[in-house]
Amino acid sequence: MSAEQTGGDRLPTEDHHEGGFRPISELADEVRGVPEADIARGGPHYRQFISQVRGLMDRVRLANPSDELALETIATLKELNDKLDAAVVDEWSTPLWTRYDVPARGNITVPPYAVHHVGPDGIDATITFRDYHLGGNSAAHGGQIAVGFDELIGMAAAVHAGAVTRTASLTVDYRSITPLNTRLRLRAWAERREGRKVFLRATLHDGDRLCAEANGLFIVLNPGQQ
C-alpha cells in the first residue's frame, strides 16, 4: 500500500505512544482549520460519497418497502457491498484521520457536525440530527444525543489535556425536545483536571432553548494504553 493511500507519516506510529490514536497535536491543528482540505485519502468525491450514504441511512430509517422493492434493494446493496469490499482498509488508513472538510470527518456512526472554534476555553460546534437519528414523534433519539456529546466532549478533553483520553463517565440530562434536521449549537469545555482525570461539561441548544446538557469524566491514557 502506498504512502498516499495510508497517509504516509501522518499516521500514528508506536513512537507516538498514544494507544494507536493520531497524535493529539495534529488533531488540534486540523480541528482549528487548515487553509486547504487534505484529500490525499478518500479523494475529491469522498464528501459526496458520505453524503449519499447518510441519505441512504435516512431513507432506510423511514422506509416501508414493498416485497418487490425490498428484493430489488437487497440485490443492489449486495452488489454494492461486494464492490466496497475491495476498498475496506484498517482503521488507521481510513480518511477519518484527515478529512476535516467533511461533516463529522465522514464518520457515519455519529451525527454530522462541524467545529467552528477550538481552544483552551473549549469547543463550539454545530450538530444536526437527521431522520436516521429519530427517536420518536419527530425528536432525536436520546442515545444519539449522547453519541454527539461523547464525540465532542472527548475532543475537548483531548485538546485540553494535550493527550489522548478515554470516556470514563458520561451523564446526559435531557431538558427539552431535540429537533431533527435543525442546526443546533453544541459547546463543550473542561472544568478542571485532577491528575489523569479531566472533568467536562457540555450544552446543546436550539437557538436560546436548552435541549440537553452533559457532564463527562475522561481519563488521560498512559503511554501505550488503548
Side-chain angles (χ1 to χ4, degrees):
M1 185 173 290
S2 70
E4 180 176 301
Q5 288 173 305
T6 62
D9 59 9
R10 298 177 63 80
L11 284 173
T13 67
E14 291 183 1
D15 292 337
H16 290 119
H17 299 296
E18 295 197 57
F21 291 85
R22 187 176 181 188
I24 197 64
S25 59
E26 292 187 11
L27 171 64
D29 288 343
E30 293 214 17
V31 171
R32 292 187 181 98
V34 291
E36 295 183 3
D38 179 354
I39 61 172
R41 273 180 287 173
H45 308 299
Y46 185 71
R47 184 184 183 98
Q48 184 61 24
F49 170 75
I50 293 299
S51 177
Q52 290 299 319
V53 172
R54 287 195 184 274
L56 175 63
M57 294 162 61
D58 289 338
R59 288 164 176 79
V60 170
R61 175 65 178 86
L62 297 174
N64 180 21
S66 64
D67 290 347
E68 180 181 5
L69 178 57
L71 290 172
E72 180 182 350
T73 303
I74 290 167
T76 299
L77 289 174
K78 184 180 184 306
E79 180 181 359
L80 179 59
N81 285 329
D82 289 343
K83 290 181 178 180
L84 286 173
D85 279 341
V88 172
V89 295
D90 63 82
E91 66 175 281
W92 283 20
S93 301
T94 65
L96 302 188
W97 292 102
T98 58
R99 295 306 293 265
Y100 285 90
D101 60 312
V102 180
R105 296 173 296 157
N107 188 346
I108 61 171
T109 66
V110 301
Y113 65 83
V115 175
H116 304 290
H117 168 78
V118 58
D121 56 334
I123 284 177
D124 281 292
T126 51
I127 188 168
T128 303
F129 298 92
R130 298 172 53 134
D131 290 340
Y132 175 76
H133 308 109
L134 173 66
N137 199 25
S138 299
H141 192 289
Q144 296 289 347
I145 296 169
V147 169
F149 273 133
D150 188 49
E151 173 80 0
L152 289 160
I153 293 176
M155 190 180 294
V159 171
H160 177 81
V164 173
T165 63
R166 283 286 197 183
T167 312
S169 176
L170 180 66
T171 301
V172 180
D173 294 309
Y174 302 94
R175 301 304 187 189
S176 62
I177 293 297
T178 298
L180 296 179
N181 301 307
T182 303
R183 185 174 294 181
L184 309 172
R185 181 190 177 198
L186 194 154
R187 181 168 182 265
W189 67 96
E191 291 196 311
R192 67 185 190 281
R193 177 174 176 177
E194 298 176 2
R196 294 173 57 204
K197 298 179 179 179
V198 184
F199 296 85
L200 302 106
R201 290 194 60 200
T203 56
L204 178 68
H205 281 86
D206 177 15
D208 293 331
R209 180 171 59 85
L210 178 64
C211 297
E213 54 188 334
N215 290 278
L217 168 61
F218 282 65
I219 304 297
V220 176
L221 298 186
N222 283 327
Q225 278 191 313
Q226 296 183 350

